[in-house]
Amino acid sequence: YLAAFSGDERKGALAFLDFSTGEFLLTEGTKEQLSLQLTARQPREVLLDRRKKLFFQEAFGTQWLESYLPDWVCRPAQGEKELKSHFGVENLKGFGLENGSESLAAAGMLIHYLRSNGHDRLDHVGAPSVLGSSEFMWLDDFTLRNLEILSSTNPDGVSLWEVVDHASTAMGKRSIRRW
């Protein structure tokens, strides 16, 4: 995944995009809720406003590869403009997105970043799905590590992930990991 963060101490938003499949996900929440989303999705890169660098690192850690965008790209109004242009629509009500929301900013950052880096063909990027925090049972880093869900703490051990992952394609592996 490629991810984008927008927000502050009170509330924030994350947008995730799997460029290979076009899966586009948005979520809003507290720092704790967003931290769980980052842990679950393990994005390869996180986009953010360069002015939010220190806040992001304090809230979510320094293990993420960060790329910084100019502040004008990280505004909800700019995000709305990017999304309307990308999807060819007059408004975003059909996507369940509110005017001025942090989700608009984060989603727009992803589209802008891809276009500015030469990815002009984004036809496969689907409509964003808005994730609710009550739709899933989230496990924090401590629980994932101690239950050995994704990796084993024992050098000769096997994680749950290794036991259930019998997919033969990269897309299948991503689907299983997402569950």
Side-chain angles (χ1 to χ4, degrees):
Y1 285 103
L2 174 64
F5 168 78
S6 180
D8 55 31
E9 297 83 19
R10 292 171 284 122
K11 190 174 182 182
L14 284 167
F16 296 96
L17 178 65
D18 182 342
F19 189 72
S20 63
T21 64
E23 181 182 35
F24 197 2
L25 306 169
L26 304 176
T27 187
E28 288 191 6
T30 64
K31 287 188 295 188
E32 293 77 18
Q33 292 167 329
L34 297 179
S35 180
L36 293 174
Q37 292 277 2
L38 281 170
T39 300
R41 306 225 183 275
Q42 292 292 307
R44 297 284 184 238
E45 183 177 7
V46 180
L47 310 174
L48 58 136
D49 184 333
R50 67 177 61 125
R51 297 172 303 168
K52 308 270 175 103
K53 175 183 179 178
L54 190 58
F55 169 74
F56 182 84
Q57 291 176 348
E58 288 173 356
F60 306 111
T62 57
Q63 71 269 32
W64 311 105
L65 173 62
E66 301 167 14
S67 292
Y68 308 107
L69 299 174
D71 63 338
W72 65 269
V73 174
C74 305
R75 297 183 183 139
Q78 180 64 26
E80 183 175 354
K81 182 179 171 185
E82 294 281 351
L83 291 173
K84 284 179 179 178
S85 171
H86 174 70
F87 292 112
V89 295
E90 292 291 319
N91 64 59
L92 300 171
K93 288 180 184 176
F95 298 108
L97 299 173
E98 298 177 24
N99 289 342
S101 73
E102 294 294 340
S103 291
L104 285 175
M109 291 162 64
L110 288 176
I111 299 296
H112 175 85
Y113 179 79
L114 290 171
R115 283 190 176 149
S116 66
N117 284 297
H119 295 285
D120 295 326
R121 297 199 39 95
L122 299 175
D123 303 343
H124 70 292
V125 175
S129 298
V130 179
L131 299 174
S133 61
S134 63
E135 295 176 18
F136 303 97
M137 182 177 115
W138 295 104
L139 302 176
D140 60 16
D141 288 333
F142 180 78
T143 304
L144 288 170
R145 185 175 45 256
N146 285 322
L147 292 178
E148 298 184 348
I149 303 289
L150 299 175
S151 62
S152 176
T153 55
N154 184 335
D156 298 325
V158 178
S159 69
L160 177 62
W161 162 252
E162 293 170 309
V163 171
V164 299
D165 179 28
H166 295 289
S168 58
T169 65
M171 188 182 298
K173 288 183 182 297
R174 283 192 297 272
S175 292
I176 291 172
R177 188 174 185 95
R178 187 172 58 243
W179 294 335

